[in-house]
Amino acid sequence: MHTANLENIKKPWIINIELTNACNLECCFCDHAALKKKMAIKYMDDSLLKKVFSDIEEYEHDNKIYELGLVGLGEPTLDKHFERHIEFINAHAYMFERISFNSNLVSLRKKHADILLASRINAYTFSVNASGREAYLKMMGKNKFDAVIENLKYFLTRLKKKGVKARVDIQLLDS
């Protein structure tokens, strides 16, 4: 992108990045199950992530971009380069007012929680999407409700213990 052309381009308000398109659920409301038959499961290449942030820096001058969202059809905790990618995002956090992270919590491990809570991420959305095991299995396609609740409890306990100031939203569907 050439700086001279930026005058005609509106600065984005929100930028979403999908670190991987791998997913560990088969939600009835998501297109991933159908799409994975046609798409290769991949992970964000470091050079592409660097290019994205380089392009963002072209926009970021006086005002920060409102939000960087780590969201998509994939589950970000399945990213093979998770720690390195979060470190890279941390190094560029100055460009954003808010950095959000969306997860279904199935594969959230203690290591992930510690990396996230030490990061510059300041907003989390966890997709529980059901009020019990039976509804969860129906909605999410796999029997992972107990693991999700345990991972959520662990994350919230660590968040409180570390005194991290972050917004945490729990996504539920009427079930």
Side-chain angles (χ1 to χ4, degrees):
M1 190 177 296
H2 301 293
T3 307
N5 296 334
L6 287 176
E7 295 169 8
N8 300 326
I9 299 174
K10 278 189 153 187
K11 181 177 179 177
W13 190 54
I14 296 173
I15 296 173
N16 290 328
I17 294 177
E18 184 175 54
L19 297 175
T20 179
N21 64 347
C23 188
N24 46 17
L25 290 175
E26 296 170 4
C27 307
C28 66
F29 51 83
C30 181
D31 292 333
H32 192 276
L35 291 173
K36 74 180 181 181
K37 296 173 186 172
K38 300 175 184 176
M39 69 180 174
I41 301 302
K42 298 209 174 185
Y43 305 89
M44 177 76 69
D45 181 77
D46 288 352
S47 62
L48 178 57
L49 190 59
K50 287 176 184 174
K51 169 89 170 88
V52 167
F53 279 97
S54 174
D55 287 351
I56 293 170
E57 282 180 319
E58 296 281 330
Y59 288 106
E60 194 279 313
H61 295 290
D62 298 327
N63 300 325
K64 294 181 178 186
I65 292 172
Y66 174 68
E67 181 175 3
L68 172 67
L70 303 177
V71 62
L73 287 177
E75 167 55 37
T77 58
L78 295 176
D79 179 15
K80 289 182 179 181
H81 313 294
F82 183 79
E83 186 169 8
R84 186 169 67 235
H85 286 162
I86 297 299
E87 286 174 8
F88 191 79
I89 289 163
N90 285 339
H92 293 83
Y94 65 90
M95 296 190 292
F96 305 96
E97 294 291 329
R98 167 183 159 123
I99 301 175
S100 63
F101 182 86
N102 293 45
S103 173
N104 63 30
L105 293 167
V106 171
S107 57
L108 182 80
R109 303 294 176 253
K110 292 177 181 179
K111 181 179 179 181
H112 294 122
D114 289 340
I115 291 167
L116 290 168
L117 292 170
S119 77
R120 303 284 303 275
I121 295 168
N122 55 12
Y124 296 89
T125 299
F126 296 126
S127 300
V128 176
N129 292 333
S131 57
R133 283 181 206 89
E134 189 176 311
Y136 187 90
L137 178 59
K138 193 176 201 177
M139 298 296 291
M140 310 304 274
K142 293 191 178 176
N143 186 11
K144 299 290 184 182
F145 183 75
D146 292 335
V148 165
I149 297 304
E150 286 305 311
N151 289 343
L152 177 59
K153 287 178 184 177
Y154 178 79
F155 185 87
L156 294 174
T157 300
R158 298 291 293 158
L159 177 96
K160 185 176 180 180
K161 184 177 181 181
K162 290 181 174 271
V164 173
K165 302 281 189 235
R167 178 183 174 124
V168 177
D169 294 313
I170 311 301
Q171 182 175 298
L172 293 170
L173 298 174
D174 186 6
S175 59

